[in-house]
Amino acid sequence: MTDIAKNTICLWYEREAEEAARFYADIFPDSFVKAVHHAPGDYPAGQQGDVLTVEFSLMGILCLGMNGGPGMQPNESFSFQVATQDQEETDRYWHAIVSHGGQESECGWCKDKWGISWQITPVALTKAYTSSDRQAAQRAFNAMMTMKKIDIAAIEAAFRG
């Protein structure tokens, strides 16, 4: 680790930090695994030589995956929000996460197989619910509240009334 960032998101995994980082790098643009670091000695969650941390970039955000053992579980209070441009991109990311051991949630949220939460959020949805036309925004918002994966055409139809 030669260049140490001032601020990095650290994600706790039981033992799958490298697998997760490589999965994210395969799915999302501007993502890559920078370095894999092995433990110099035994530690509570592993042994000398095990993968301890993985430096990676996730859509331009510096992250560190740490194999810390089963002591901590991620929850929805932290999520990655991915702004998508169209239905094809929304579907691609959603299905990549859900179909590889993840699970669907509500309103564009899903979890990957490691329990990390993702918001796959079309730009059209954000524009709709933040519109100055508050009645149209409410219609779009109400439509979103009935969805798992966001359906852009349904959001736009609800917005139009």
Side-chain angles (χ1 to χ4, degrees):
M1 189 175 216
T2 54
D3 298 327
I4 299 175
K6 188 74 164 175
N7 189 5
T8 302
I9 293 172
C10 183
L11 302 169
W12 183 303
Y13 298 89
E14 274 193 46
R15 302 199 52 78
E16 309 88 3
E18 184 176 8
E19 178 187 356
R22 294 194 187 287
F23 175 74
Y24 304 146
D26 285 346
I27 293 173
F28 297 106
D30 195 22
S31 300
F32 57 89
V33 174
K34 180 178 177 184
V36 176
H37 303 283
H38 298 269
D42 293 348
Y43 62 107
Q47 300 176 337
Q48 180 178 352
D50 288 350
V51 172
L52 180 62
T53 60
V54 180
E55 295 177 64
F56 61 101
S57 176
L58 181 53
M59 296 177 282
I61 299 171
L62 297 177
C63 297
L64 181 74
M66 179 178 67
N67 286 330
M72 305 293 261
Q73 297 299 314
N75 64 52
E76 291 82 3
S77 65
F78 173 87
S79 64
F80 286 104
Q81 185 178 52
V82 180
T84 57
Q85 298 302 313
D86 55 33
Q87 194 66 53
E88 186 274 329
E89 186 180 26
T90 301
D91 293 350
R92 183 174 69 245
Y93 295 150
W94 178 273
H95 291 300
I97 291 168
V98 171
S99 69
H100 288 91
Q103 64 184 114
E104 295 182 340
S105 190
E106 306 294 326
C107 306
W109 289 62
C110 57
K111 286 186 182 179
D112 65 28
K113 76 182 216 175
W114 302 281
I116 302 296
S117 292
W118 297 82
Q119 297 177 60
I120 309 302
T121 309
V123 171
L125 171 61
T126 303
K127 287 180 178 179
Y129 80 77
T130 61
S131 170
S132 60
D133 181 342
R134 299 316 293 156
Q135 290 181 337
Q138 184 176 11
R139 289 191 304 269
F141 182 81
N142 290 343
M144 176 206 62
M145 294 299 291
T146 68
M147 299 177 185
K148 291 185 184 272
K149 178 178 55 93
I150 302 301
D151 178 336
I152 295 172
I155 293 295
E156 290 171 341
F159 184 83
R160 289 188 304 271

